Amino acid sequence: MPELRGTTRGPVLTRWFGTENLHRIDVYERLGGYAAARKALTTMTHDQIVQEIKDSGLRGRGGADFSTGVKWSLMPKESPVPMYLVVNADESEPGSAKDRYLMENSPHMLLEGICIAAYAIRSHQAWIYIRGEYDLPFARLTEAISEMRAKGYVGDRPFDSDWPLDIRIFRGHGAYICGEEGALLESLEGKRAQPRAWKPPYPAQKGAWGRPTTVNNVETISTVPFIVGEGAAAYAKFGTEKAKGTRMFTVSGNVQRPGNYEMEIGKPYRELIEGMAGGPPPGRKIKAWWPGGSSSPVMPGDLLDVTTDLDGVKDLANLKGHPVPPVNAGGRAFATMGGSGGVIVMDDRFCAVEAAHRLLQFYAHESCGKCTPCRVGGNWAVRTYERILSGEGGAQDIAILEQVYAALQSGRCLCGLGDAAGWVIASSLTHFRSEYEEHALRNECSAKQAAAHA
Amino acid sequence: MGVLSAHVIGEIRALPAQFPEVRSAVMPALDLAQEELGYLTPEAMSEVAEALNLDPGYVEGVATFYTLFHTEPIGKHRLYLCTNISCKLRGADALLEHAMQTVGVRDQGQVSSDGLFSVEAVECLGACEYAPMMRLDHAYHYDLTPEKIDSLIAERKRPLPAAAQAAKAAAGEDQPPPRVAKPRAARKKKADA
């Protein structure tokens, strides 16, 4: 097991982290684990649990920030066919590693959450869709499920209840798009992972194999045992008036202590980046940072006081006089977003144009090819960046980027991948326009020059 | 006589029972085939299709969509180096160059002349707090430096101890001929404009 980098003994998710062998069922139970699942399956009704989760204010931690309790309540109360809980463990957003951190250190926390969630939505079968590269988390979960089976926590009568329960793991095979709900379900069904057509039907109506399904992120489900065990109020006392609880952040890039940190929602990013993660290396300044994975619009380094509340972070007032990037989600303008909590920090040795180029390579590579703007636009942008960076660009190339980011956005694609590629270009070009002009018009790079003299 | 062993075909035939629908067994089945052969040949994909009673074109369509399925020969040990932003900011580009030079390949996906290694730049592997990092032989390797990469490579091509080598020579065994692979485009494109 590698050295733990991140929060231990945190308020909710990481409260037992740092305990030796926490991944073992006996250790997890000695600390109080599975008490919440036992309570839920033996003393609570399905609807009581859903209400508890609604009351806690828990929202989806995969990035969509949708009320978990409301999502669960959309499941039918009766169904002639099986219903499923699908856990999205396909964590692939660049800069996000928190689900891996949770699964490899405390697999039983996720599995206990699955027991409760599956029961709450009246499902007897849960699937964990885990990305294929996650070898250690897969091994830990496999081992943990056999420990559960030995104790009867999955099987015919978990916790002596009359609610049979089975948990299976499905391994992905390397495709960012599988983090998207519809594509994930396609992949689980054994198909090429392409997003499904417009909703409705929602997964709660027609999900995996056409049956009612709830898809939840690893962190979301891992939070459930705390809420059911300690009560909704204990969870809701963390956070702000509207955004409750704590959440995991991965801080990576040019910081002194990269790691996975649990923090109360609503505190500023500065506390996370400069406090917990130790800020940039000595003598360096933060030039740019991404609050929620590479898909979140990039922010200039002087705007660290933005709140981690996922509604607040979108507020255009956060930009404090910086130009507003031409990004929109569903037609609405926003400053940036909290996404999956992957905070990436870049210091002043690095070139903003090169960074955007690398990210566009990612979006072009990971486009599933279904929607034309994304399939074509990503590659078009990459080639334009290549011209600009090789010194063969001109003013027309900046104009091309402007056309491409406009064409990628505004809901022209079935999923968010196309929009995200557009946000990368639009935000980078807005906040670091002078660097684009240096490269495109004069074949210069002030970042490289400055780094060379440092 | 097919390219997949009877044992693997048997395992593949048992897979659909785990799922509500047979198609869900395609990826686990391709895993078994790839595990046995190193990569997925057209024959292997056809045999998977036959074992699952699916169309070979369908199986190939799935195999070619996902990065972790290989339809061309690859090294016995694959170095998947993350070069996405978090690792790039901590020196991944230079490490990729270094790894390719050390195993002696010019292009990504090319197999080293001893058949042991191939190197690929990959997207974020979700271990950003340990950047720069890579996946090698079903395990993550963290805080990479050129020296760390050197020793991981050296461990995997260490010659057999002298006694074992002598015994092998006495038995008339030879090293298998190196697998020759076509160099291919630097980045595997799923969706070209």
Side-chain angles (χ1 to χ4, degrees):
Chain A
M1 185 64 203
E3 167 210 6
L4 226 67
R5 289 190 194 155
T7 307
T8 55
R9 320 275 165 197
V12 176
L13 285 153
T14 58
R15 59 182 162 160
W16 298 328
F17 278 49
T19 311
E20 203 178 338
N21 290 324
L22 177 59
H23 62 284
R24 294 270 173 216
I25 200 165
D26 50 338
V27 175
Y28 182 73
E29 282 203 285
R30 202 170 59 231
L31 293 164
Y34 285 112
R38 185 172 281 110
K39 173 180 164 189
L41 270 73
T42 57
T43 69
M44 294 173 81
T45 66
H46 309 286
D47 296 335
Q48 275 173 342
I49 300 172
V50 173
Q51 192 56 48
E52 194 77 17
I53 299 300
K54 275 188 191 166
D55 292 345
S56 75
L58 177 66
R59 299 203 227 160
R61 300 285 188 242
D65 203 34
F66 185 77
S67 162
T68 305
V70 172
K71 194 183 227 184
W72 290 3
S73 69
L74 299 174
M75 288 289 275
K77 300 211 176 204
E78 275 171 44
S79 166
V81 293
M83 301 196 282
Y84 302 112
L85 172 71
V86 174
V87 175
N88 184 344
D90 191 61
E91 180 168 67
S92 308
E93 177 71 25
S96 185
K98 45 110 182 164
D99 293 340
R100 196 206 83 251
Y101 184 74
L102 297 177
M103 288 188 287
E104 68 189 21
N105 288 297
S106 191
H108 284 291
M109 181 169 61
L110 172 63
L111 295 168
E112 183 179 9
I114 289 174
C115 292
I116 300 168
Y119 174 72
I121 62 166
R122 299 173 168 82
S123 162
H124 296 285
Q125 177 72 61
W127 294 89
I128 303 172
Y129 185 104
I130 187 167
R131 68 177 298 183
E133 296 92 339
Y134 273 1
D135 303 298
L136 181 60
F138 172 73
R140 284 274 156 92
L141 286 168
T142 307
E143 206 177 272
I145 292 172
S146 19
E147 286 181 322
M148 288 175 84
R149 189 163 294 122
K151 292 211 168 209
Y153 295 173
V154 285
D156 293 334
R157 294 185 55 78
F159 311 102
D160 295 320
S161 71
D162 50 7
W163 195 262
L165 194 59
D166 183 34
I167 305 174
R168 293 188 191 172
I169 308 178
F170 190 93
R171 299 190 82 174
H173 285 81
Y176 170 65
I177 193 74
C178 289
E180 196 277 332
E181 189 170 80
L184 183 151
L185 294 173
E186 290 287 295
S187 184
L188 182 59
E189 292 181 7
K191 301 172 186 163
R192 291 166 73 91
Q194 297 189 315
R196 293 180 167 177
W198 297 106
K199 300 165 180 177
Y202 289 93
Q205 301 157 291
K206 265 182 109 167
W209 302 286
R211 297 161 178 178
T213 302
T214 292
V215 185
N216 280 136
N217 168 263
V218 168
E219 184 185 340
T220 313
I221 295 294
S222 297
T223 311
V224 168
F226 180 94
I227 296 171
V228 170
E230 312 293 319
Y235 185 72
K237 79 169 198 266
F238 298 107
T240 68
E241 181 67 31
K242 277 185 178 160
K244 301 294 185 194
T246 68
R247 71 175 304 200
M248 296 299 302
F249 295 89
T250 308
V251 188
S252 68
N254 306 131
V255 288
Q256 299 194 41
R257 288 189 298 276
N260 295 290
Y261 297 102
E262 181 179 9
M263 197 169 78
E264 190 173 354
I265 292 175
K267 293 189 173 173
Y269 279 95
R270 184 180 298 283
E271 192 167 325
L272 180 69
I273 294 171
E274 292 188 341
M276 291 169 149
R284 310 295 354 163
K285 269 181 20 200
I286 297 176
K287 172 174 176 173
W289 61 288
W290 290 258
S294 65
S295 298
S296 61
V298 67
M299 292 285 272
D302 61 334
L303 295 179
L304 294 185
D305 292 310
V306 172
T307 168
T308 49
D309 153 15
L310 266 71
D311 294 317
V313 74
K314 294 179 184 156
D315 195 338
L316 293 176
N318 285 328
L319 294 168
K320 290 192 184 139
H322 285 274
V324 177
V327 296
N328 76 77
R332 245 196 315 240
F334 64 106
T336 185
M337 59 182 213
S340 58
V343 179
I344 307 162
V345 176
M346 181 170 99
D347 74 30
D348 52 359
R349 286 169 298 173
F350 294 92
C351 167
V353 188
E354 257 187 47
H357 172 229
R358 179 62 189 88
L359 294 181
L360 259 296
Q361 284 180 323
F362 169 75
Y363 290 97
H365 180 250
E366 297 298 337
S367 171
C368 79
K370 187 165 181 167
C371 312
T372 310
C374 172
R375 181 180 67 242
V376 177
N379 285 308
W380 203 340
V382 168
R383 288 198 297 273
T384 310
Y385 273 107
E386 280 166 2
R387 274 198 304 279
I388 292 175
L389 284 166
S390 65
E392 285 161 21
Q396 74 282 1
D397 289 301
I398 294 178
I400 289 173
L401 290 179
E402 286 169 343
Q403 284 176 346
V404 172
Y405 73 59
L408 280 164
Q409 295 186 70
S410 309
R412 288 187 173 88
C413 304
L414 285 172
C415 85
L417 200 153
D419 288 280
W423 299 338
V424 171
I425 308 170
S427 58
S428 167
L429 185 51
T430 301
H431 294 305
F432 302 99
R433 187 161 190 112
S434 63
E435 289 186 40
Y436 281 76
E437 287 170 351
E438 283 171 15
H439 277 281
L441 308 179
R442 300 189 293 281
N443 193 17
E444 285 169 7
C445 180
S446 57
K448 274 219 186 85
Q449 284 161 6
H453 293 297
Chain B
M1 188 56 200
V3 292
L4 295 174
S5 65
H7 172 69
V8 164
I9 293 287
E11 280 185 64
I12 291 175
R13 289 211 176 107
L15 285 171
Q18 300 176 22
F19 303 99
E21 284 178 22
V22 61
R23 281 168 198 253
S24 295
V26 170
M27 284 194 267
L30 288 170
D31 268 341
L32 291 170
Q34 185 162 277
E35 191 72 22
E36 177 162 48
L37 300 174
Y39 71 104
L40 296 169
T41 61
E43 296 77 21
M45 288 186 271
S46 295
E47 286 173 31
V48 166
E50 200 185 318
L52 295 176
N53 225 344
L54 292 168
D55 186 75
Y58 180 81
V59 172
E60 192 179 337
V62 172
T64 52
F65 185 88
Y66 296 93
T67 319
L68 294 183
F69 291 126
H70 297 277
T71 53
E72 288 178 66
I74 45 166
K76 184 176 169 216
H77 306 285
R78 277 96 62 194
L79 287 81
Y80 296 108
L81 270 112
C82 173
T83 58
N84 207 308
I85 187 85
S86 300
C87 284
K88 183 184 170 76
L89 293 171
R90 298 178 82 96
D93 292 345
L95 290 170
L96 175 69
E97 285 296 309
H98 179 83
M100 286 170 65
Q101 259 177 23
T102 308
V103 306
V105 294
R106 271 194 319 265
D107 296 298
Q108 289 181 46
Q110 187 188 342
V111 183
S112 61
S113 58
D114 55 10
L116 282 179
F117 301 100
S118 51
V119 180
E120 270 183 65
V122 297
E123 299 300 353
C124 184
L125 291 173
C128 315
E129 77 269 38
Y130 301 108
M133 58 77 61
M134 70 170 169
R135 182 177 188 234
L136 167 64
D137 296 340
H138 300 285
Y140 278 10
H141 299 273
Y142 296 142
D143 301 324
L144 292 180
T145 58
E147 296 72 34
K148 258 193 194 172
I149 291 181
D150 289 347
S151 71
L152 287 166
I153 291 170
E155 279 165 25
R156 282 160 180 78
K157 58 179 179 191
R158 193 170 294 147
L160 294 167
Q165 246 173 4
K168 239 180 153 183
E173 280 180 43
D174 231 328
Q175 290 292 312
R179 282 198 297 198
V180 185
K182 292 178 291 189
R184 64 174 185 192
R187 293 177 63 82
K188 184 177 167 187
K189 284 270 162 31
K190 280 194 294 260
D192 251 321

